[in-house]
Amino acid sequence: MLFNLTETEVGREIAEENLNLGREEGREEGYEEDYEEGYEEGCEEGLVGSMTLFLQTRFGEFAGLEDLARKLVADDHAANVARVLSGASLEELRNPD
């Protein structure tokens, strides 16, 4: 005759404890992943916002402002901030080659 631990009260308690522990670990892992992803997205959006402000201050409103800001942040944020502040033309920023 086979013994099935899950058919006993102790077995069910152990299974429930493990299930609850697994759920808690899953929630914590999901929270950490969501937090890290949200943090990274927030940082990127902050950089895009500041680059947009630099470009807007220097060149005023123009078509493709936010797209250019995103491109400059993705390429090399710090170097492109320096380029904007040192007087690079809009054409040079759009076409760095």
Side-chain angles (χ1 to χ4, degrees), residues 9 11 15 28 32 44 46 55-56 60 78:
E9 183 64 30
E28 287 175 11
E32 288 174 11
E44 183 175 337
L55 293 169
Q56 191 175 40

Side-chain angles (χ1 to χ4, degrees), residues 7-42:
E7 292 179 4
T8 68
E9 183 64 30
V10 171
R12 286 189 290 275
E13 287 175 9
I14 292 170
E16 186 175 340
E17 285 178 23
N18 286 330
L19 180 63
N20 290 335
L21 180 61
R23 285 180 179 152
E24 183 61 31
E25 287 174 359
R27 276 193 291 272
E28 287 175 11
E29 186 176 306
Y31 173 78
E32 288 174 11
E33 288 173 5
D34 288 344
Y35 176 81
E36 289 173 14
E37 184 178 314
Y39 179 80
E40 289 173 15
E41 287 177 14

